[in-house]
Amino acid sequence: MSIIKGQLISSQRFLDKEKVIDKASRFKRFIVCVYPIVMRGVQYTILMDGHHNYAAAKLAGIEPDYRPITKKVLRIIRDMSEREREALFINNITDCNYYYVETGEVVQELVMPDTSCKFQAHAGNQWIFGGAVRAMQQEVK
């Protein structure tokens, strides 16, 4: 059973091309952490960690080794309702709007923030607004 459910998306476009080339030339296995989630009624899988490994695997012509997110991150988000998790992931992006990893096209349905749930934001290494997110902040410290 595949860990990838729906299309693979990301909110991180930054890649160090030298790092990607180095990994592609040296590695035989490329571990990528992903998280399947339904957002705005559509099933996606978010590429959470291993963006350089993913790009290196593609460059090397090898399928990445997809893994679930770490137990620590799962512990942080497990106490949130599905609705809170959805809002958290929609509202907290890395360096760009979500895009389809295979095509680079922006996921238009996820561009606007989710204001229908407790709004959560990350600013200056601090989680702000929302009780469930405060628990996440304490866990990460």
Side-chain angles (χ1 to χ4, degrees):
M1 182 181 215
S2 175
I3 192 169
I4 304 296
K5 300 177 186 315
Q7 291 199 41
L8 188 62
I9 63 172
S10 175
S11 69
Q12 176 184 322
R13 285 198 191 261
F14 171 78
L15 287 174
D16 180 329
K17 290 180 183 178
E18 288 182 23
K19 185 183 275 190
V20 171
I21 292 167
D22 177 60
K23 287 179 178 236
S25 66
R26 293 186 309 111
F27 292 10
K28 294 185 184 335
R29 196 163 168 209
F30 303 91
I31 296 172
V32 176
C33 295
V34 296
Y35 182 67
I37 186 170
V38 174
M39 294 188 288
R40 297 200 166 127
V42 178
Q43 177 69 62
Y44 300 100
T45 296
I46 301 173
L47 198 166
M48 298 282 292
D49 189 30
H51 289 77
H52 287 89
N53 282 350
Y54 181 87
K58 292 301 180 183
L59 183 61
I62 299 171
E63 186 69 17
D65 183 356
Y66 296 106
R67 304 274 178 92
I69 57 176
T70 65
K71 289 179 183 176
K72 180 177 181 178
V73 175
L74 282 173
R75 266 196 327 269
I76 292 168
I77 64 174
R78 77 168 175 236
D79 292 332
M80 294 178 177
S81 70
E82 282 185 43
R83 187 69 201 92
E84 288 173 322
R85 246 178 280 151
E86 177 184 6
L88 174 75
F89 282 102
I90 289 173
N91 292 333
N92 293 282
I93 56 177
T94 304
D95 65 13
C96 65
N97 289 317
Y98 281 108
Y99 65 94
Y100 297 106
V101 173
E102 289 300 318
T103 67
E105 178 186 351
V106 171
V107 183
Q108 292 299 322
E109 296 77 15
L110 299 178
V111 169
M112 294 301 294
D114 184 333
T115 58
S116 66
C117 189
K118 287 184 207 171
F119 186 76
Q120 300 121 358
H122 185 262
N125 266 346
Q126 297 272 336
W127 290 100
I128 55 177
F129 315 124
V133 177
R134 291 206 196 291
M136 181 185 279
Q137 176 187 14
Q138 296 306 312
E139 179 70 27
V140 171
K141 286 184 179 178

